[in-house]
């Protein structure tokens, strides 16, 4: 009888442990796909698909508004042209105030349906302390500048880019960190391509 009671208790304990693990798994899986990698912080930067605020204008390329509220989205490829200024603008939310957002990177020159940031050799970035910087081993860019503005909970970053060489169609990975090193990212598939403006349009633009 004692053995039966011990067995029953053990079974109940194992069932409770399994149930807890199942609940934890469900909670994790229901977190937004670009879930925050935190260092003691519940929420970090968001691009429109977080639990706190929903918005669909997290990215603009040359004035075209793009919804990046999912972890990964495929869009119509946006065209940028050599020797002509282009804009990539980001709208980033932080629950504890936009001034907490420290660093933003746009990773480029990425192929495939499952791009990873480590595969990128070309990126533009903005740091609240150090300003804009560029990694560009293929010398695609002639110039890159950045400007950041802030309101209560949103940081707006505008990168103005002038390319000097083409770039084949590339995915983008956009990642942001706050001052506590909490980070999030979104993936934009087939995001943009840099090429030459067709001669007919070029003559009209001059």
């Amino acid at each position: 009888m004692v053995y039966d009671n011990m067995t029953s208790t053990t079974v109940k304990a194992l069932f409770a442990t399994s149930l807890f693990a199942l609940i934890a798994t469900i909670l994790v899986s229901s977190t937004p796909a670009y879930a925050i990698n935190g260092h003691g912080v519940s929420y970090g930067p968001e691009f429109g698909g977080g639990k706190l605020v929903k918005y669909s204008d997290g990215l603009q390329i040359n004035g075209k508004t793009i919804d990046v509220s999912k972890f990964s989205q495929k869009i119509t490829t946006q065209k940028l042209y050599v020797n002509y200024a282009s804009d990539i603008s980001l709208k980033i939310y932080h629950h504890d105030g936009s001034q907490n957002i420290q660093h933003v990177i746009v990773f480029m020159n990425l192929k495939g349906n499952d791009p990873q940031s480590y595969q990128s050799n070309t990126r533009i970035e903005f740091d609240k302390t150090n300003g804009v910087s560029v990694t560009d081993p293929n010398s695609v860019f002639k110039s890159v500048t950045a400007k950041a503005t802030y309101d209560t909970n949103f940081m707006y970053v505008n990168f103005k880019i002038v390319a000097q060489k083409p770039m084949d169609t590339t995915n983008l990975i956009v990642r942001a960190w706050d001052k506590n090193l909490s980070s999030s990212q979104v993936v934009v598939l087939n995001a943009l391509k840099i090429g030459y403006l067709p001669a007919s349009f070029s003559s009209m633009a001059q």
Side-chain angles (χ1 to χ4, degrees):
M1 187 70 177
V2 174
Y3 176 81
D4 290 342
N5 286 339
M6 291 177 63
T7 301
S8 177
T9 301
T10 301
V11 170
K12 289 178 181 178
L14 288 172
F15 177 77
T17 301
S18 299
L19 181 61
F20 176 79
L22 177 61
I23 292 172
T25 301
I26 292 172
L27 288 175
V28 170
S29 65
S30 65
T31 303
Y34 63 81
I36 309 307
N37 297 311
H39 290 254
V41 180
S42 297
Y43 300 97
E46 298 176 3
F47 295 93
K51 290 185 175 181
L52 300 177
V53 171
K54 306 289 185 182
Y55 56 94
S56 59
D57 56 347
L59 172 65
Q60 287 190 349
I61 300 177
N62 283 341
K64 171 70 174 179
T65 299
I66 298 165
D67 186 348
V68 290
S69 58
K70 299 177 182 178
F71 168 69
S72 180
Q73 42 267 299
K74 186 175 183 179
I75 70 168
T76 301
T77 303
Q78 302 300 300
K79 295 180 180 179
L80 283 57
Y81 296 105
V82 172
N83 294 324
Y84 289 85
S86 296
D87 292 283
I88 297 177
S89 300
L90 301 166
K91 178 181 178 181
I92 309 169
Y93 174 83
H94 198 288
H95 76 290
D96 204 27
S98 62
Q99 294 291 335
N100 287 283
I101 302 169
Q102 180 67 33
H103 200 90
V104 182
I105 298 181
V106 180
F107 297 93
M108 299 181 177
N109 201 20
L110 290 163
K111 310 297 181 184
N113 294 321
D114 185 27
Q116 305 295 322
S117 59
Y118 69 83
Q119 298 168 336
S120 169
N121 67 354
T122 303
R123 58 185 180 269
I124 58 176
E125 47 194 300
F126 176 82
D127 184 84
K128 185 178 177 182
T129 303
N130 299 315
V132 66
S133 61
V134 181
T135 301
D136 183 20
N138 300 316
S139 300
V140 171
F141 302 118
K142 180 183 295 185
S143 66
V144 178
T145 59
K147 179 181 179 181
T149 57
Y150 305 84
D151 60 22
T152 303
N153 290 104
F154 288 96
M155 175 187 187
Y156 304 88
V157 184
N158 174 258
F159 293 101
K160 189 170 289 292
I161 298 167
V162 179
Q164 62 184 359
K165 291 173 60 176
M167 177 188 288
D168 287 338
T169 302
T170 177
N171 304 316
L172 298 181
I173 296 177
V174 185
R175 185 177 298 166
W177 290 262
D178 67 13
K179 64 181 183 180
N180 296 307
L181 300 183
S182 293
S183 68
S184 63
Q185 73 172 37
V186 290
V187 177
V188 188
L189 299 174
N190 292 350
L192 60 85
K193 179 178 182 178
I194 302 175
Y196 292 102
L197 191 68
S200 57
F201 291 100
S202 180
S203 60
M204 292 174 61
Q206 292 177 353

